[in-house]
Amino acid sequence: MDGLTTDTPAMDKLDLRDLSFEELERFVGDELGEKPYRARQLFRWLYRRNARAFAEMTDLKEELRERLEARCTIEPLPIAAVHRSADGTEKLQLALKDGGAVEAVLIPGDDRLTLCVSSQVGCAMGCAFCYTGSLKLSRNLTCAEIVDQYRQALHHLGGKAERISNVVLMGMGEPLANFDAVAKAVNLLMDDRGYDLSGRRVTVSTCGIAPRLKDLAEQTDASLAVSLNATTDTTRSLLMPINRKHPLAELMRALEAFPLARRKRILFEYVLLAGVNDTDEDARRLVKLARRISCKVNLIPYNPHGASDFARPSDERILAFQKILLDAGVTAFIRQSRGQDIYGACGMLGRGARRPDSTARIS
Ligand code: SF4
């Protein structure tokens, strides 16, 4: 069947988590010769009851479960390690079939628990301040591997879906560089026959692949975050090579054209780097950009990680920068850094994640 196979990694059995609901329906009808309601049952088991084996699907006849077992897989990505931070953040290291690993991070807030999900193993975007970027790209994750990060986090939390309030694709990788798998995974998470997460609860974060924003808006209802980090092309191109291909003017035009539901705003993320992008002039230029769209700004004081020479600005500088935004009427938060002691904070994912070519065993 078209669109039912993935090129990475090689799998013998069809992974049902790589299928949209419509593809699952076709597979169940065309390949298994079953009625469409069987697809609905399967979908519910996968994305409402978080089933981890066909044997759990007790309202499917045994003979069908055996056929599914023979041809398909829903095997979870094993949780190879859980790193707990003193601040309550938990980083789940999930083992991939090809020997690599990927990370998902549970970040508690005042009244929320956010799951940060990865979309690639490593990243090709090479942002200068980002540890993941220094790893380079090993490969894209499949839709199944993206969705399973949510499924495994739920399992880790005792299966209680209501405990995860938000899902953000801000982990390892650039989501829009793995667009098809990401869009399908987002739609699976949001499908009202399954987990039924709303567009306000699922956010895709990009470094600024401007031409893909239109596709994201057309193919999903996810919220959008943009890692901005600079207000001039010179500085942004220095920090984020993607800016040489899609400069600020092009990015802003794409953002102005991005359709927003009522009250839904784009989130600008701005990593504050001492002496690089944290001056009053930077803040005033950021105000000008922010006023062009409906947005809010997350200021993220840099997390030092050893793979770059940047420094975190002083608390006074961070507050002065925020004040310029607030005084101009721009909503701006300072994101408290979470999970720094376990390399679970922004820009730090990938420390300890093994590359697929590693021979190290994940225990
Ligand atoms: S910030 Fe995001 S896009 Fe940039 S290198 Fe890191 S993971 Fe990739």
Side-chain angles (χ1 to χ4, degrees), residues 301 312-321 334:
R312 185 188 196 278
S314 67
D315 286 351
E316 295 72 36
R317 181 86 299 265
I318 293 166
L319 290 171
F321 194 96
I334 297 169

Side-chain angles (χ1 to χ4, degrees), residues 252-309:
M252 289 307 298
R253 274 197 306 275
L255 292 175
E256 283 168 332
F258 192 84
L260 291 174
R262 204 162 52 88
R263 288 185 299 131
K264 196 157 103 175
R265 290 189 280 180
I266 290 170
L267 176 68
F268 271 146
E269 296 170 288
Y270 195 99
V271 176
L272 282 164
L273 305 163
V276 177
N277 64 359
D278 65 342
T279 64
D280 288 357
E281 293 72 41
D282 286 306
R284 284 192 278 271
R285 280 191 296 264
L286 182 52
V287 166
K288 278 195 185 149
L289 294 175
R291 279 184 174 155
R292 288 172 57 180
I293 54 174
S294 175
C295 72
K296 55 187 174 179
V297 179
N298 244 354
L299 299 172
I300 308 162
Y302 175 67
N303 293 310
H305 53 61
S308 73
D309 295 329

